[in-house]
Amino acid sequence: MALPSLSFLFIFTSFIVSVSHSIPFIVIHGIGDQCSNRGVKKFTQQLSSFSGAEGYCVEVGNGSWDSWFEPLKEQAEIVCEKVKQMKELKEGYNIVGLSQGNLIGRGVVEFCEGGPPVKNFISLAGPHAGTASVPLCGSGIFCVLADTLIKGEVYSSYIQEHLAPSGYLKLPNAIPDYLENCRFLPVLNNEIPDKRNSTYKERFSSLQNLVLIMFEHDTVLIPKETSWFGYYPDGYFKPVLPPQSTELYIEDWIGLRTLDEAGKVHFISVPGNHLGISQEDMKKHVVPYLKDHIFVQDSINKARFRLRGVNQKVIQSNMMEQSQKEEVEPSSSPLLDGSLPYWWPTPFKTFLGELIGINEEESIQRK
């Protein structure tokens, strides 16, 4: 009797270990942030703790500085090379993107040749359809002039080469200029009529789940519905079109419609400012997709075949009970408070000041 008991114990243990396994995930931070910052570190650690999956924040070059000044195409290439070198990701991984980091993550999905497969993509406040305004600068005269200058010159070669957000600033009243001269988003979204790439669509539509989280009081992204691929109609600043009414969706340029019709797109709205997600909402809307459900189901099927005489309902009931015990009491306080440094860095403000012939101190003294 001893030998069958040991065999059963070995098989049952193998079953539980395989079912509880989760593939790793990476976090790609937003503009003006870096992996070493307290908020991003805490976010990554708690996601890992709640999901049981190994999590890694992948830094883009020099962090905060490069997030502003390195073109997004180059940022995506940096992350592509890093994920290809990470042995932990070779069997596949999930992406959690924060704001601008979502466009870098999508660049990895669509452009990264020979990279490990991306299973689930969880997007928090991603400017997927573009944004009609530059990130926050402030209310002073310098910032008003800087905003005007950037909007006026945003599609120039110099700005496109030296300012990351210019790669996804989509002005509805300048669509021809945007399609011709913006160097990142039109390519990422397959918007250029004679240059649509079927490989990008194929790779993006291969995701198991696309989770699009919009923050109801987001004032950083204009409009906030860009988090869902919603945007303004060409030539107008109103109304905001829902994603299903955009040409990108209707003509299925990147496979968003394909994913949605397969039930793989999850449009989620949560309270809070830009990136101000609570622990409760994180556990409800993010954590479940960091657990590899397909792997779990495969393991259950294999275990059923091996454990012919075992009551499967009892086993699955025990697993659900164990999962419930791991739940932590929800909290409504933000994990990411939405106050990431979306202010213009001093070196770039100095550059703009020289370009327009003033500096901020002088503008204050003139008041």
Side-chain angles (χ1 to χ4, degrees), residues 137 140-153 158-159 344 347-363 366:
C137 173
I141 186 174
F142 176 90
C143 291
V144 173
L145 292 172
D147 183 79
T148 302
L149 177 66
I150 293 301
K151 285 183 178 179
E153 302 294 333
Y158 185 82
I159 297 297
W344 295 98
F348 196 74
K349 294 178 81 171
T350 301
F351 160 76
L352 286 174
E354 292 174 351
L355 191 62
I356 59 182
I358 66 169
N359 61 50
E360 200 158 25
E361 288 185 5
E362 289 175 349
S363 67
R366 290 174 185 173

Side-chain angles (χ1 to χ4, degrees), residues 23 26 28 93-110 118-126 128 188 203-204 206-213 227 229 259 264-266 268 285-286 289-290:
I23 64 173
I26 66 168
I28 306 178
Y93 67 105
N94 298 319
I95 291 178
V96 180
L98 304 177
S99 195
Q100 178 179 283
N102 286 289
L103 299 185
I104 299 168
R106 282 182 51 212
V108 172
V109 172
E110 295 181 34
V118 178
K119 305 290 187 180
N120 299 312
F121 194 114
I122 301 97
S123 164
L124 284 76
H128 293 291
L188 185 72
R203 289 172 177 169
F204 187 68
S206 70
L207 292 171
Q208 293 176 3
N209 286 284
L210 174 64
V211 184
L212 301 173
I213 300 176
S227 297
F229 283 91
L259 283 170
K264 296 180 179 181
V265 182
H266 310 276
I268 296 167
H285 300 302
V286 179
Y289 298 98
L290 299 181

